[in-house]
């Protein structure tokens, strides 16, 4: 999704997450589960070795761009994704609120 000289974000669908790599090394990921037409993001993590480089923002922006392209909607259970969306209203049209029902569904889904 980005050039090979910078951070590279890829969808690792079998692991239910988007991953960001730098120099061929996994730097972080944002995890999700799909609920019908919704992509429910619940956890984002950047390795300490890559902290402070703005990689979480790059990762989440590209993940949300991919959600838009796929025709799905975003549900930001993850605090980082929720905070990102507060600053980037260009995704407001495809963002659904986090409800108790979604939280319950996610707990069940994650076991």
């Amino acid at each position: 999704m980005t050039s090979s000289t910078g951070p590279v974000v890829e969808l690792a669908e079998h692991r239910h997450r988007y991953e960001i790599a730098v120099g061929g090394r996994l730097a972080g990921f944002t995890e999700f589960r799909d609920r019908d037409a919704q992509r429910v993001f619940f956890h984002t993590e950047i390795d300490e070795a890559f902290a402070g480089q703005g990689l979480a923002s790059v990762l989440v922006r590209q993940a949300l761009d991919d959600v838009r392209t796929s025709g799905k909607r975003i549900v930001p259970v993850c605090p980082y994704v929720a905070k990102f969306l507060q600053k980037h209203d260009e995704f407001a049209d495809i963002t659904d609120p986090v409800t108790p029902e979604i939280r319950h569904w996610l707990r069940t889904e994650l076991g």
Side-chain angles (χ1 to χ4, degrees):
M1 290 186 189
T2 59
S3 72
S4 59
T5 58
V8 176
V9 176
E10 292 183 335
L11 171 60
E13 197 152 7
H14 61 288
R15 288 194 284 269
H16 305 281
R17 66 189 196 178
Y18 291 87
E19 299 176 339
I20 188 165
V22 177
R25 233 177 109 203
L26 180 65
F29 54 86
T30 186
E31 295 179 297
F32 66 86
R33 289 295 187 276
D34 286 339
R35 180 179 184 255
D36 300 321
Q38 295 175 315
R39 185 150 283 177
V40 181
F41 287 89
F42 64 91
H43 179 72
T44 301
E45 186 174 316
I46 298 294
D47 188 288
E48 265 187 46
F50 296 94
Q53 299 178 33
L55 295 178
S57 180
V58 171
L59 170 62
V60 168
R61 174 175 292 283
Q62 290 191 32
L64 300 184
D65 283 341
D66 186 64
V67 172
R68 181 183 296 284
T69 301
S70 74
K72 291 188 180 292
R73 298 187 59 79
I74 300 160
V75 182
V77 174
C78 169
Y80 184 86
V81 174
K83 183 178 172 183
F84 181 92
L85 288 168
Q86 288 175 355
K87 297 178 181 177
H88 298 275
D89 63 356
E90 65 268 27
F91 295 104
D93 63 316
I94 61 165
T95 300
D96 290 340
V98 178
T99 63
E101 176 190 359
I102 287 174
R103 287 187 187 278
H104 179 266
W105 171 85
L106 184 60
R107 279 192 301 274
T108 303
E109 188 73 12
L110 296 176

